[in-house]
Amino acid sequence: MRLLVAARGLALPQWRLVAGCLYQTVWNALTGRPRGHGIRDYDLIYFDDTDLSWEAEDAVVRRAAPVLSSCIGPVEIRNQARVHLWFEARFGSPYPPLPGADAALGRYAAVVHAVGVRLEPDDSLDIAAPFGLADLFGLVLRPNLAIANRATYDAKAERMRALWPELTVLPWPGAAEDPVKCAQDTAAVSTGLSPAPSPFSTSR
């Protein structure tokens, strides 16, 4: 909540806290694991198509750093209006421009990844979940076929199953029952973040 309050104060257009830090927090609660188990970072997205330069995105990251410094972290802040500029070159799959921040959720590698939350001015939580929340509370990892993103899914599935063995992990269609080991460094697997992050970290 401290992170959500601080993020709200940044007033970024269409912002949301998304993906791993949310579904992994729920999985930890459901399986009795410590808060923070398996969470490597906190993804904060926004959408600003008025300036698609990396420098503009980096300026936002730097402005946010002192605001988020007392919050849980590290926090990755990325402009979803820029993803189409680099995604195919790095991951090999076409990625049409997004119309808005919430549309990015529908392209994440797994259905359960597609969840985001924003703290509104009245302190209510606005939740975006284009595929619903059944997989989240059912402990299911299911591929999202919106884009050809099997390598990302397989790498994430391998890591998730090791951290939460209670999960039901469904294979990518056409894959073997067990996800294929991916030579790609899982730290570089895309969740819609820019491939050239700021050298300045917003970590705690």
Side-chain angles (χ1 to χ4, degrees), residues 2-191:
R2 184 183 300 169
L3 176 56
L4 285 169
V5 170
R8 180 177 61 185
L10 293 171
L12 297 173
Q14 301 182 35
W15 74 273
R16 286 195 190 275
L17 191 65
V18 299
C21 64
L22 300 180
Y23 68 81
Q24 292 165 13
T25 293
V26 172
W27 287 351
N28 287 336
L30 292 175
T31 62
R33 289 183 168 81
R35 184 175 60 180
H37 170 78
I39 300 176
R40 296 192 295 197
D41 55 27
Y42 294 75
D43 292 332
L44 184 62
I45 67 170
Y46 69 100
F47 189 90
D48 182 0
D49 58 1
T50 63
D51 187 342
L52 299 185
S53 69
W54 182 88
E55 289 77 12
E57 181 183 79
D58 189 59
V60 170
V61 173
R62 291 177 179 273
R63 176 170 69 87
V67 177
L68 305 180
S69 62
S70 64
C71 301
I72 197 166
V75 180
E76 293 283 352
I77 306 175
R78 295 296 178 258
N79 184 5
Q80 300 301 284
R82 298 188 64 247
V83 179
H84 68 282
L85 298 177
W86 54 261
F87 190 95
E88 185 170 7
R90 190 171 188 188
F91 297 102
S93 299
Y95 196 99
L98 292 163
D102 285 355
L105 300 178
R107 298 185 190 176
Y108 287 174
V111 167
V112 75
H113 296 170
V115 59
V117 65
R118 177 172 56 239
L119 187 64
E120 299 289 9
D122 64 357
D123 289 337
S124 63
L125 290 174
D126 184 271
I127 297 172
F131 304 114
L133 298 173
D135 283 2
L136 174 65
F137 291 104
L139 297 170
V140 175
L141 193 70
R142 182 191 317 271
N144 174 21
L145 307 182
I147 60 175
N149 209 8
R150 177 181 166 184
T152 298
Y153 179 79
D154 286 348
K156 287 182 174 291
E158 183 177 2
R159 179 175 181 268
M160 295 301 102
R161 186 157 53 181
L163 288 165
W164 295 276
E166 301 89 347
L167 292 179
T168 298
V169 178
L170 304 179
W172 193 271
E177 182 176 350
D178 290 326
V180 176
K181 288 184 69 68
C182 191
Q184 182 179 12
D185 180 3
T186 56
V189 170
S190 173
T191 56

Side-chain angles (χ1 to χ4, degrees), residues 190-201:
S190 173
T191 56
L193 302 182
S194 186
S198 168
F200 190 92
S201 173

